[in-house]
Amino acid sequence: MTLWNGSYPFYPGANACFPFDTTRAVIVTIFLSMLATFIIILPGIPGRGQLFWFLRSVLGLFIGAVILNVQFTRDWETGWVQANTSYKSFSHVQVNADIGLHIGLAGVNVTLRGNPVEQINETINYNEHFPWNFGVDYDRSYSEGLQKGLPSPILYVAEKFSTQSPCAVHRQYRITSHYVSLTLWLAFCTWLISILLFSMSILLYGGQMLLLTATLILFSLLLFSTARNTLRCPIQFGPVSLRTDYGESFWLALATGLLCLLLGLGIIILNSLQPEKLKLIFSLDKSSEEELWDKSCLPAQPSCSAQDGLMFPLGELCHRAATQL
């Protein structure tokens, strides 16, 4: 087989995927727009209620953005290794490259970046995605990668997660990712319900929904951990192996779940021990004052200001009538 400009003719040129997910960009843009709107109307809130209202808005938007965003991230589990490896099939030419594995809820991303990027007259910079979400066949994506002639390290890593691999981890990761995604969607729904309850000043039930949100998030992390422990097949590149660990999305979801847990417990405890402070945090003290004012102005109480303007002593009333005559 002959070479053409230093490469095999059935191999296409380097075609690295765009590394930024547009879905995440849309989600972040929506939540930042909502936050900017809240900041604009912040000066219209009187008194110290501005600070509490701003904190509630930031925390609520942060929790919702994280729950929705981690659904589409690809770094729940990540790993990197630098190795000298063969670049193409049927070739003994080796390159020095950084090989990365990124596991998300929708599939696997394999990254291959040369060290340096320009080697053997080619640009070695790949980022390939192999999905396993509903309606997508992982083995078909892997076969398409074989037909395109992707570099050997990418195909070697992607083959570990195929259904034909002796590692037998495809089923565990795929099913677990589906259940994790479903649990996070439920957590997003409970977060929306908690926001609605807080806006209706039903604080106790809102705190309970936050506790339920935290439970769902932590349960989804537990599910993902069980799938990760099944990866016992080594990904070896000569003397070094590619090892993975929890990624940024996992730790971000864990922090958000603990935050929801603390906020929910705090609201429930304050509601039972010091409800006045809880009403102050949610700017409900003015409504209580209005209720007290309404009770003081009942018709049975003669001290009301409206009745004072209509009731006069009998002698003074006769004196005024005689003066007018």
Side-chain angles (χ1 to χ4, degrees):
M1 189 169 293
T2 59
L3 294 174
W4 179 261
N5 292 331
S7 63
Y8 289 97
F10 56 83
Y11 278 98
N15 184 20
C17 297
F18 190 64
F20 195 78
D21 191 355
T22 55
T23 304
R24 297 172 59 186
V26 172
I27 295 173
V28 172
T29 302
I30 292 175
F31 279 90
L32 287 180
S33 301
M34 296 173 64
L35 179 60
T37 304
F38 291 155
I39 294 176
I40 292 174
I41 65 177
L42 183 63
I45 300 176
R48 57 183 178 181
Q50 288 184 353
L51 177 61
F52 292 129
W53 189 83
F54 180 73
L55 290 177
R56 295 198 309 269
S57 302
V58 171
L59 290 176
L61 291 176
F62 173 78
I63 294 172
V66 169
I67 297 175
L68 192 59
N69 198 24
V70 294
Q71 290 271 7
F72 307 98
T73 54
R74 300 174 180 177
D75 55 354
W76 278 74
E77 186 177 348
T78 59
W80 284 92
V81 68
Q82 183 177 356
N84 292 319
T85 179
S86 61
Y87 180 52
K88 298 176 181 178
S89 302
F90 313 108
S91 174
H92 297 287
V93 178
Q94 290 193 341
V95 296
N96 185 272
D98 294 325
I99 306 165
L101 173 61
H102 314 276
I103 302 176
L105 301 182
V108 174
N109 264 60
V110 185
T111 303
L112 179 67
R113 186 180 304 123
N115 233 344
V117 178
E118 298 290 339
Q119 294 185 49
I120 58 172
N121 297 326
E122 289 192 25
T123 301
I124 305 175
N125 189 12
Y126 289 84
N127 182 24
E128 297 293 331
H129 181 63
F130 300 91
W132 57 39
N133 49 347
F134 285 112
V136 178
D137 188 0
Y138 183 92
D139 291 339
R140 181 178 180 181
S141 301
Y142 177 72
S143 300
E144 291 176 354
L146 287 172
Q147 295 175 4
K148 290 192 300 184
L150 294 177
S152 296
I154 294 180
L155 296 175
Y156 170 68
V157 176
E159 189 270 338
K160 296 290 184 179
F161 294 88
S162 65
T163 57
Q164 306 299 326
S165 174
C167 297
V169 296
H170 174 82
R171 182 178 178 86
Q172 289 87 344
Y173 267 94
R174 183 176 185 179
I175 294 177
T176 303
S177 297
H178 292 167
Y179 280 109
V180 170
S181 179
L182 176 62
T183 307
L184 288 176
W185 280 118
L186 291 176
F188 184 75
C189 294
T190 55
W191 168 78
L192 287 176
I193 295 174
S194 67
I195 295 297
L196 179 62
L197 291 175
F198 287 139
S199 64
M200 297 172 61
S201 302
I202 309 176
L203 305 182
L204 179 60
Y205 291 153
Q208 293 175 353
M209 293 307 297
L210 271 183
L211 278 182
L212 181 57
T213 303
T215 304
L216 291 172
I217 295 175
L218 297 178
F219 181 70
S220 67
L221 299 179
L222 181 62
L223 285 176
F224 187 82
S225 300
T226 58
R228 181 182 179 273
N229 292 331
T230 61
L231 185 57
R232 303 182 182 274
C233 191
I235 304 176
Q236 200 75 23
F237 292 95
V240 296
S241 60
L242 176 59
R243 300 182 182 274
T244 59
D245 201 353
Y246 294 120
E248 296 179 359
S249 296
F250 181 90
W251 296 115
L252 185 60
L254 177 61
T256 305
L258 294 177
L259 177 62
C260 292
L261 182 64
L262 292 177
L263 291 176
L265 288 176
I267 291 173
I268 293 175
I269 293 174
L270 281 178
N271 185 78
S272 58
L273 297 180
Q274 293 181 342
E276 294 80 8
K277 290 186 177 181
L278 183 62
K279 291 181 179 180
L280 179 63
I281 294 175
F282 283 87
S283 304
L284 299 179
D285 51 348
K286 293 183 178 181
S287 61
S288 60
E289 291 179 0
E290 292 177 358
E291 291 178 359
L292 292 175
W293 185 85
D294 292 338
K295 291 180 180 179
S296 64
C297 294
L298 293 176
Q301 296 181 356
S303 60
C304 183
S305 59
Q307 293 178 353
D308 291 342
L310 297 176
M311 297 177 63
F312 298 97
L314 183 59
E316 183 179 354
L317 182 62
C318 295
H319 176 70
R320 291 186 178 184
T323 303
Q324 292 178 0
L325 292 175

